[in-house]
Amino acid sequence: MSDAGESPLEEAEEDEETELEEEYNQYYREVESMQQELKEDDILVRKEPQQEEEEEEGEEGVEEKGGEGEEQGEGGEEGKEGGEGEAVREETEEKPGAAQEEGAARQEETTVKPPEVTKSMTSSKRLILTDSQSVMSGTSLRTLSESKHALESEHSETNELLRDLSSELRFLDLDQTRSEEQDISFPETQSSSELREKIDQMLQDELGQERREEKRLSSLSDEQEKEFQSKAEIPEKSLVSTSEDILFQKDDSANVYPLTMTWSFGWNSSLPVYYIRDENQRVLLYVCAHTAVIYNVFKNTQHHLQGHPNVISCLCISEDRRWIATADKGPNCLIIIWDSFTGIPVHTIFDSCPEGNGIGAIAITRDAKYLATISDAEIQKVCIWRWTLAVETPACTLNLPKEYGVQNYLTFNPTNNKELVSNSKTQAIYYLWYEEGNILAHSAPRLTEKTFNKLVGKFSQSVFHLNLTQILSATMEGKLVVWDIHRPPSSASASVDSPHIKPCKLVHLQKEGITVLTTVDSYIVTGDIRGNIKFYDHTLSIVNWYSNFKLSSIRTLSFSKTPAAPPTEKSNYPPDCTLKGDLFIVRNLIIGTSDATVYHLTTDGTKLEKLFVEPKDAICAISCHPYQPLIAIGSFCGMIKVWDYEKKKYLFSRVFEKGLGVQSLTYNPEGALLGAGFTEGTVYILDAMSLENQIPEPFKYSRTSVTHISFSHDSQYMATADVHFTVAVYMVVVKNGHRVWEYLARLRSHRKSIRSLLFGVHLDSNEPRLLSLGRDRLLIEYDLLRSYRDNLEVLDTHRTDQGNYPTCMVWYPPLTKELFLLICNSGYKVKLFNSTTKMCRKTLLGPVFGSPIEQIQIIPVKTTLELQKRYMVFINRDKVGLQILPVDGNPHKTSAIICHPNGVAGMAVSYDGCYAFTAGGQDRSVVQWEINLSALEAAVSLGGEDLTPFYGLVPGGREGKFYRELEDYFYYSQLRSQGIDTMETRKVSEHICLSELPFVMRAIGFYPSEEKIEDMFNEIRFSEYVDTGKLIDKINLPDFFKVYLNHRPPFGNTMSGIQQSFDVLGFTNSKGKKAIRREDFLKLLLTKGEHMTKEEMGDCFATLFGLNPEGWRSEPAASSVKGSEICFEEELPDEITAEIFTTDILGLTISQDFRQDPTVSEVVRNV
């Protein structure tokens, strides 16, 4: 069916509900007057009177065409299949303006109604009309647009004066409607019978509709066509945008974000790569993690389409390469439609599949008016979206039974927007959309081996046959299943005679499994697992093939938008394989293969060009050169690639033998060597510039993956850590006058995974020191000088945390006189440990962005002036961020952005501190981020000074109830320390004694352990010791407030934390809950952890159960009073669960706000 036949039905329902005749008349008159002003200006700048008359006649001629312009344009485009269509095509090639341009522009004009554009148009009240207002006539808008372009092309001075108006008109073009839609703008002028006729026309035969359009096109006189062309002078591509090159002409130098994506290495070879520009520039579209990348090959530039919160799962592009649709899988999944000319998202569909996990397949119609999606859920849902109307709900939906399998491929009929086909590995489904009733009928006949008495194989892709009456489904057995389409008569409804398909033939095309099936021009094209590309005609007779390129399995084929040029004397097209031996003329194409390689094939001369080769497996290892703009990227496929990240140029690479996957990479401080650790335990030392081996044989002292590699500052030592918690050390020795690397020793020093391996320098001797940090909460330092062959000595061991586990470690820059180790833990805390004594000197609230910090690197400085202003880069599970040092808990001093939704595997920082790099692991990508420190500093200055940023971390802020209560407790503590009943003169002070700190903390709802209290005391006592040599024994309210915010749990006391403890310590009782017996519970309190004495335990329970007077043991005067005796058998139940412990014993209330599961809700004090 043609688009002209579909347009009335598409817009009828929307227009009947939203448009009024009075509004139409009002805006019509305003635009008519504006049009007249433009025409008058046009006449004034003309020099010859005769030219003025031609202008006026040209405009009248255009207006006489009315609604035919759009239909004729489409007829000229779609009429290529019939004989009349060929004649029309020849005519439009000779005269490239006229109705063909108008038709193409009209088609694109009516495709987009983005909310973003609608918002920007609200200021242009006289010109801009949205769907919620009235719809103008297509004729007057065309005339207005033509006047604008005439002024722009011929009179630059006038165009300068009308710049503002032109910008508004450009947006106005987006909202123009088809000339046919004018007939539907007034429901009262159309009878119901006329609407039924239009609906019936939608279901009529396609060829008949095309003939009617071709007749309308041929009715244009040559004189009208010439006048129209001279008047409009519109670019053939589109009226909506200035040019195709605007995407790469924009200036993106002004970065206002702390971190800005500048380049993306790698691509998702599981998804297609599209050929979207092909004239003077070669531009590709592909996916890298959660970003769609538009890559200009000749200019070597990228434009990133960012907006998805999850990894992109599918994408498609319109026939004119203008509109890009991307979708993702995961929570809060999105469907985004982009304008490839500008890189702007024009429409976003939220909550597209709230019941499912995201979108599994997507397709767009040839004219880009409709989208179709299939969800990735147990019960898959097929949806059709009228995205150009900016609606949030699909036009129709269909739930597919489980037995159909997971439908992973979807496409529209290129000549009929109402027909689709999808397939899983076992089932092909045909769909027909009845737009009148928003019904999506489908047919899915089951194929078995008995159907054709032959093995069919698993389906890969399906397309509509060139004859439009059949569907072809390719299989991994090299066969094509041919389905006949049985469409109901136009008068029949969906319920009377449902459409269906019927398998009619099984064609064994080739031996190799078919992975790609598509159509181009008059050919059916296949790509197979052996890298062959074959072309067939409509009878499935082979016409030509490319098999001598020796490619790996074909994943995607994308043909140029521009048809192949006719052969000339200089052409070198190959002959086809038919008996006639005609020249095989086909469009240029992009080829994507399973080994993550992308090629460009120039068919004239059969020139195959390799555009890029990327890792086909996970990327976990990246490292930046210490003084050159080089980055080394290692993949599990055994490839190491080195790039110049400033010029965005690939330099050299090495592919190791099969089975060697690169797990870790590190340059030595001089930049001459590159250490590489592999997944099977091998360690290589490579030359940094050639990647050649620098040792005769690789070291093989581990059976498991080598996760960390580190060099000492003088490159005399190299240390590695593996998955089996083992640290190995290698050193340089001199033999026969040559420096060679030798194995020294190894030690299984940890009980859980090693999180960091770090070399340092002894302050007194300048000798290297080695430390390792494990998830077992142990910080271990090794004695390298006393170590010898096969014996790695341990210097000391310290526990870093009590409940949380450490995640990473780095040397803290020398911002103070004291040298620290900075260690992050799973509780979102950053701890500073004295590098010599290993005492915890400070605990601070770290960045809180959904998950704890996993890696940290300090940004290098370029000059000595920058030494006192330092920054660090960090990554957590899925984000990369910046933090201003020193860390003090200020939330405005940190910023983060999603970099790899499925998990970040590694991080590196450039030698000059300008860029950060993140590796995405399974998404097979590395992203380069430009660091803009001034943007982060601006955010800090806007956040306020002193305590202002910290007030927002508590409920109600500075004037809230919580802070007022804190003040009351603080001042009460001052009174209590002097004695509540004292008659002496009170000493007014702004401080409280350190001994009072635990009582105030517990009074406001934070219950620190004894170890945490000791850490707080050390933090306060030694805060000025390095500068003054004195210990501090008191604290004021602002400092107390900061200590509280930095030490408290970032999310409060949660039920999940209490339940986790019972899961570890308890047993499963008869009700299926984790519980602890009373006797075991009391024994644990007396013997495990920070165990109590019997007296302390009795006092605590007596107070909790109200047996002691209020304020017991907290008042100094009551410290000598003996407490009440408690009978645990009477007060405590036989079995204690997490809920009983929380509510009955501690007296807390479990919050169930927002219908949350109480096992994960916040625990609130029962005041």
Side-chain angles (χ1 to χ4, degrees):
M1 302 180 189
S2 69
D3 294 336
E6 296 163 3
S7 299
L9 181 59
E10 176 198 355
E11 300 293 340
E13 298 173 0
E14 183 76 11
D15 291 345
E16 287 177 1
E17 294 176 359
T18 61
E19 297 177 3
L20 299 175
E21 185 173 4
E22 292 182 13
E23 295 176 345
Y24 171 85
N25 292 333
Q26 175 185 354
Y27 283 94
Y28 182 88
R29 285 194 296 270
E30 291 178 353
V31 176
E32 187 96 53
S33 63
M34 184 60 65
Q35 171 194 343
Q36 187 63 31
E37 292 173 9
L38 282 174
K39 288 198 287 186
E40 291 174 1
D41 291 339
D42 194 11
I43 294 172
L44 288 175
V45 294
R46 303 282 184 179
K47 293 183 178 181
E48 299 181 6
Q50 182 178 357
Q51 208 166 5
E52 298 176 12
E53 296 176 1
E54 292 176 357
E55 276 290 321
E56 295 174 357
E57 292 173 2
E59 292 189 39
E60 293 174 359
V62 174
E63 291 176 355
E64 287 174 1
K65 297 176 193 176
E68 295 179 3
E70 187 269 346
E71 295 179 352
Q72 293 159 351
E74 291 182 359
E77 182 179 353
E78 296 180 2
K80 295 181 181 179
E81 298 183 12
E84 295 179 31
E86 294 178 359
V88 172
R89 182 178 62 215
E90 293 174 1
E91 179 182 351
T92 55
E93 287 175 355
E94 295 175 1
K95 303 170 183 178
Q100 184 181 8
E101 292 182 354
E102 177 66 10
R106 176 69 50 202
Q107 178 177 341
E108 293 183 351
E109 288 170 11
T110 58
T111 2
V112 179
K113 191 77 62 178
E116 291 83 353
V117 175
T118 305
K119 293 176 182 176
S120 63
M121 292 189 294
T122 55
S123 61
S124 307
K125 295 180 180 178
R126 296 183 61 236
L127 295 176
I128 309 307
L129 305 183
T130 60
D131 286 338
S132 61
Q133 297 172 337
S134 60
V135 179
M136 302 180 188
S137 69
T139 305
S140 63
L141 290 176
R142 266 201 308 274
T143 309
L144 185 57
S145 180
E146 292 157 12
S147 301
K148 176 195 71 171
H149 286 283
L151 289 173
E152 289 178 345
S153 60
E154 297 181 21
H155 312 290
S156 59
E157 294 180 0
T158 307
N159 185 39
E160 187 71 16
L161 295 173
L162 298 176
R163 180 181 298 167
D164 295 338
L165 178 60
S166 299
S167 63
E168 292 177 349
L169 289 174
R170 183 170 66 252
F171 286 110
L172 182 61
D173 289 338
L174 282 171
D175 284 347
Q176 290 187 33
T177 53
R178 296 173 185 262
S179 54
E180 290 86 355
E181 294 172 0
Q182 181 183 353
D183 298 334
I184 311 177
S185 297
F186 308 104
E188 64 272 12
T189 62
Q190 278 189 313
S191 64
S192 59
S193 60
E194 290 175 342
L195 287 175
R196 291 194 194 97
E197 291 176 1
K198 289 184 177 291
I199 293 172
D200 291 339
Q201 288 176 5
M202 179 191 69
L203 299 174
Q204 289 178 0
D205 184 76
E206 179 70 23
L207 297 177
Q209 183 71 16
E210 288 182 355
R211 293 193 186 98
R212 287 194 293 274
E213 293 176 357
E214 291 162 6
K215 290 179 182 179
R216 294 192 190 100
L217 180 62
S218 61
S219 65
L220 275 175
S221 65
D222 293 342
E223 181 178 357
Q224 288 176 320
E225 197 167 9
K226 290 178 180 178
E227 289 181 355
F228 182 84
Q229 179 180 352
S230 62
K231 173 65 182 175
E233 297 185 6
I234 302 171
E236 184 175 355
K237 303 298 179 186
S238 172
L239 276 173
V240 180
S241 183
T242 55
S243 71
E244 294 184 355
D245 295 330
I246 189 175
L247 182 66
F248 295 102
Q249 290 175 355
K250 295 190 298 183
D251 183 14
D252 296 331
S253 59
N255 295 326
V256 296
Y257 303 104
L259 289 166
T260 304
M261 181 186 294
T262 59
W263 197 261
S264 190
F265 303 91
W267 70 290
N268 187 348
S269 55
S270 303
L271 297 179
V273 54
Y274 288 105
Y275 201 171
I276 64 175
R277 305 280 190 279
D278 54 4
E279 295 174 349
N280 297 325
Q281 50 184 344
R282 185 178 297 165
V283 182
L284 312 181
L285 169 70
Y286 56 88
V287 168
C288 187
H290 65 309
T291 304
V293 180
I294 300 178
Y295 174 50
N296 190 318
V297 177
F298 294 153
K299 294 183 178 180
N300 193 33
T301 55
Q302 290 182 350
H303 183 87
H304 304 106
L305 307 181
Q306 296 176 265
H308 285 280
N310 309 297
V311 170
I312 295 175
S313 57
C314 52
L315 75 163
C316 61
I317 191 165
S318 61
E319 180 68 20
D320 61 0
R321 310 299 201 270
R322 177 70 187 269
W323 310 109
I324 300 168
T326 56
D328 62 62
K329 289 183 182 179
N332 303 315
C333 63
L334 301 178
I335 301 172
I336 305 179
I337 297 90
W338 313 81
D339 182 356
S340 69
F341 289 2
T342 62
I344 296 174
V346 295
H347 184 53
T348 301
I349 300 174
F350 300 91
D351 299 325
S352 55
C353 50
E355 305 90 1
N357 189 37
I359 304 299
I362 192 170
I364 193 169
T365 56
R366 189 183 186 94
D367 60 2
K369 288 175 63 176
Y370 305 115
L371 271 179
T373 60
I374 300 180
S375 65
D376 183 45
E378 188 175 2
I379 303 296
Q380 289 187 289
K381 178 184 289 187
V382 183
C383 299
I384 296 181
W385 307 83
R386 294 190 181 99
W387 72 270
T388 58
L389 302 181
V391 295
E392 294 295 330
T393 56
C396 66
T397 62
L398 173 68
N399 290 330
L400 300 178
K402 292 182 184 179
E403 53 266 24
Y404 287 175
V406 179
Q407 300 290 312
N408 53 19
Y409 186 79
L410 178 68
T411 187
F412 275 95
N413 186 338
T415 61
N416 186 349
N417 291 349
K418 307 303 182 292
E419 290 186 324
L420 305 91
V421 63
S422 71
N423 67 258
S424 63
K425 292 183 179 180
T426 58
Q427 191 87 38
I429 306 176
Y430 164 73
Y431 309 88
L432 180 60
W433 177 27
Y434 291 91
E435 191 174 8
E436 180 181 10
N438 283 332
I439 298 174
L440 190 60
H442 75 286
S443 172
R446 185 76 176 177
L447 279 187
T448 64
E449 294 184 6
K450 296 181 179 179
T451 306
F452 299 106
N453 292 323
K454 292 181 180 178
L455 178 64
V456 176
K458 294 182 178 179
F459 293 127
S460 56
Q461 294 183 358
S462 301
V463 296
F464 284 87
H465 194 288
L466 299 172
N467 61 20
L468 307 180
T469 62
Q470 292 176 322
I471 292 174
L472 305 176
S473 296
T475 75
M476 297 305 293
E477 296 294 326
K479 301 174 182 179
L480 278 185
V481 178
V482 183
W483 311 81
D484 282 338
I485 304 175
H486 295 270
R487 300 182 176 93
S490 59
S491 58
S493 65
S495 58
V496 175
D497 188 7
S498 298
H500 62 277
I501 56 174
K502 184 177 181 181
C504 68
K505 190 179 297 184
L506 181 65
V507 182
H508 199 159
L509 281 186
Q510 57 189 58
K511 295 180 180 179
E512 300 84 6
I514 300 173
T515 55
V516 176
L517 178 64
T518 185
T519 60
V520 59
D521 298 330
S522 59
Y523 301 114
I524 298 169
V525 190
T526 65
D528 59 43
I529 58 175
R530 301 294 296 273
N532 303 319
I533 303 171
K534 300 182 180 180
F535 296 79
Y536 301 86
D537 61 14
H538 68 282
T539 64
L540 297 182
S541 299
I542 192 163
V543 178
N544 200 13
W545 66 88
Y546 298 106
S547 60
N548 57 346
F549 296 142
K550 298 181 180 180
L551 307 179
S552 60
S553 176
I554 304 296
R555 283 287 178 85
T556 177
L557 298 173
S558 180
F559 289 87
S560 165
K561 182 179 70 171
T562 304
T568 62
E569 295 180 356
K570 297 182 179 180
S571 299
N572 189 21
Y573 288 105
D576 61 25
C577 63
T578 61
L579 294 177
K580 293 182 180 180
D582 297 331
L583 292 180
F584 179 67
I585 303 174
V586 72
R587 309 177 188 218
N588 296 339
L589 67 150
I590 292 292
I591 306 168
T593 60
S594 60
D595 60 355
T597 307
V598 176
Y599 303 89
H600 179 270
L601 177 60
T602 304
T603 55
D604 187 359
T606 316
K607 302 172 185 176
L608 185 70
E609 179 184 355
K610 185 182 292 186
L611 300 184
F612 49 82
V613 183
E614 298 295 347
K616 61 182 179 180
D617 286 330
I619 300 175
C620 294
I622 55 175
S623 181
C624 287
H625 196 276
Y627 58 86
Q628 291 186 17
L630 305 179
I631 181 172
I633 300 174
S635 169
F636 281 5
C637 65
M639 175 188 291
I640 297 178
K641 293 186 68 174
V642 179
W643 290 75
D644 183 327
Y645 54 76
E646 286 186 348
K647 298 179 180 179
K648 312 299 188 293
K649 183 179 179 182
Y650 157 71
L651 299 179
F652 48 87
S653 64
R654 176 179 175 181
V655 180
F656 291 83
E657 61 189 65
K658 189 175 181 181
L660 290 179
V662 184
Q663 178 70 59
S664 53
L665 287 173
T666 302
Y667 283 99
N668 74 329
E670 288 79 20
L673 302 176
L674 179 65
F678 289 80
T679 53
E680 39 70 68
T682 304
V683 177
Y684 280 77
I685 299 178
L686 309 172
D687 181 85
M689 293 298 131
S690 65
L691 299 183
E692 296 294 330
N693 292 354
Q694 291 297 293
I695 51 178
E697 292 292 332
F699 296 119
K700 184 73 165 100
Y701 290 95
S702 176
R703 303 189 199 94
T704 57
S705 181
V706 177
T707 56
H708 296 79
I709 293 184
S710 182
F711 286 92
S712 62
H713 71 286
D714 55 3
S715 296
Q716 293 297 307
Y717 291 92
M718 180 184 73
T720 64
D722 61 27
V723 173
H724 280 177
F725 329 133
T726 302
V727 173
V729 178
Y730 309 85
M731 64 181 299
V732 173
V733 297
V734 178
K735 288 186 177 181
N736 300 325
H738 297 284
R739 292 162 53 90
V740 295
W741 285 91
E742 281 191 354
Y743 164 76
L744 178 62
R746 60 195 300 264
L747 177 67
R748 185 169 181 172
S749 51
H750 292 273
R751 299 189 304 272
K752 292 186 178 180
S753 62
I754 298 174
R755 305 303 303 235
S756 290
L757 188 64
L758 193 62
F759 273 100
V761 181
H762 284 288
L763 299 179
D764 51 353
S765 63
N766 204 35
E767 289 292 329
R769 56 191 296 198
L770 176 63
L771 302 98
S772 65
L773 180 69
R775 186 163 175 166
D776 55 4
R777 304 180 181 90
L778 295 182
L779 173 62
I780 301 177
E781 182 169 1
Y782 304 88
D783 193 337
L784 297 177
L785 296 179
R786 294 174 53 198
S787 298
Y788 51 90
R789 179 80 179 189
D790 295 327
N791 185 51
L792 183 59
E793 291 287 340
V794 173
L795 184 62
D796 56 45
T797 301
H798 287 82
R799 193 183 68 175
T800 62
D801 287 276
Q802 190 175 28
N804 301 308
Y805 61 87
T807 56
C808 58
M809 171 177 62
V810 72
W811 290 106
Y812 196 66
L815 299 176
T816 62
K817 296 180 181 179
E818 194 173 0
L819 186 59
F820 293 116
L821 276 168
L822 186 151
I823 297 178
C824 300
N825 66 21
S826 59
Y828 297 89
K829 302 299 182 184
V830 175
K831 290 189 172 185
L832 299 182
F833 289 82
N834 183 283
S835 62
T836 304
T837 64
K838 310 297 191 308
M839 177 192 290
C840 179
R841 291 278 289 100
K842 198 168 253 189
T843 300
L844 302 155
L845 177 64
V848 181
F849 293 103
S851 59
I853 293 178
E854 294 186 357
Q855 288 186 39
I856 282 181
Q857 286 198 27
I858 305 299
I859 297 179
V861 294
K862 304 173 187 176
T863 63
T864 55
L865 298 176
E866 300 175 352
L867 287 176
Q868 295 304 313
K869 193 67 174 177
R870 304 300 298 272
Y871 305 83
M872 73 178 186
V873 183
F874 64 87
I875 58 173
N876 62 5
R877 191 192 67 83
D878 59 351
K879 300 177 184 69
V880 59
L882 288 176
Q883 169 82 52
I884 298 177
L885 299 179
V887 182
D888 59 5
N890 184 347
H892 299 291
K893 294 176 71 172
T894 183
S895 174
I897 185 173
I898 294 177
C899 56
H900 301 278
N902 281 2
V904 191
M907 178 185 65
V909 178
S910 64
Y911 73 97
D912 57 2
C914 293
Y915 300 101
F917 300 86
T918 56
Q922 294 298 327
D923 66 21
R924 307 187 289 267
S925 68
V926 173
V927 179
Q928 179 178 348
W929 304 89
E930 184 176 356
I931 298 174
N932 183 11
L933 300 176
S934 59
L936 187 57
E937 292 286 357
V940 175
S941 61
L942 292 174
E945 298 178 351
D946 299 328
L947 287 180
T948 303
F950 298 90
Y951 290 137
L953 297 177
V954 296
R958 174 69 178 82
E959 304 300 327
K961 179 181 178 181
F962 179 88
Y963 191 79
R964 295 299 185 191
E965 186 177 292
L966 172 60
E967 287 181 323
D968 292 341
Y969 285 130
F970 189 85
Y971 297 134
Y972 175 75
S973 179
Q974 288 181 338
L975 299 176
R976 200 178 70 89
S977 61
Q978 298 178 30
I980 297 296
D981 301 326
T982 183
M983 300 301 294
E984 298 178 4
T985 303
R986 295 286 181 182
K987 297 179 181 179
V988 179
S989 173
E990 296 179 354
H991 298 78
I992 62 173
C993 298
L994 284 188
S995 59
E996 294 294 314
L997 184 141
F999 298 104
V1000 183
M1001 289 287 183
R1002 290 163 184 153
I1004 58 177
F1006 172 39
Y1007 309 100
S1009 64
E1010 295 300 320
E1011 182 176 307
K1012 289 182 179 179
I1013 291 173
E1014 189 63 29
D1015 288 342
M1016 292 183 206
F1017 286 166
N1018 290 334
E1019 180 176 328
I1020 298 167
R1021 285 196 190 106
F1022 295 97
S1023 59
E1024 299 178 6
Y1025 184 79
V1026 177
D1027 298 323
T1028 65
K1030 296 181 180 180
L1031 298 177
I1032 306 298
D1033 60 356
K1034 58 185 179 179
I1035 186 171
N1036 59 20
L1037 179 59
D1039 290 340
F1040 177 89
F1041 186 49
K1042 287 185 178 180
V1043 171
Y1044 163 73
L1045 292 175
N1046 283 315
H1047 282 263
R1048 68 170 184 172
F1051 307 111
N1053 299 313
T1054 59
M1055 191 63 201
S1056 60
I1058 298 175
Q1059 184 64 54
Q1060 184 179 5
S1061 300
F1062 275 78
D1063 291 342
V1064 174
L1065 300 173
F1067 70 99
T1068 304
N1069 61 14
S1070 58
K1071 297 181 180 179
K1073 294 184 177 182
K1074 289 292 184 178
I1076 303 176
R1077 294 182 180 88
R1078 180 176 57 233
E1079 296 76 12
D1080 296 336
F1081 179 73
L1082 297 175
K1083 184 177 180 181
L1084 288 170
L1085 293 177
L1086 293 172
T1087 59
K1088 300 295 183 182
E1090 295 178 348
H1091 53 270
M1092 301 177 174
T1093 65
K1094 289 186 177 181
E1095 182 182 358
E1096 289 174 337
M1097 185 175 69
D1099 286 343
C1100 287
F1101 278 108
T1103 303
L1104 286 171
F1105 290 120
L1107 302 179
N1108 284 334
E1110 185 177 357
W1112 175 253
R1113 292 293 189 191
S1114 64
E1115 301 294 344
S1119 59
S1120 60
V1121 180
K1122 187 177 181 180
S1124 303
E1125 295 292 335
I1126 182 172
C1127 181
F1128 294 111
E1129 288 77 6
E1130 294 179 1
E1131 300 294 342
L1132 296 177
D1134 293 337
E1135 293 181 355
I1136 301 172
T1137 63
E1139 290 79 7
I1140 293 174
F1141 176 73
T1142 304
T1143 57
D1144 297 346
I1145 298 177
L1146 297 182
L1148 304 177
T1149 302
I1150 301 176
S1151 169
Q1152 299 191 43
D1153 294 339
F1154 309 106
R1155 299 181 181 178
Q1156 294 179 345
D1157 184 350
T1159 60
V1160 295
S1161 300
E1162 184 180 1
V1163 176
V1164 181
R1165 291 184 303 124
N1166 188 10
V1167 181

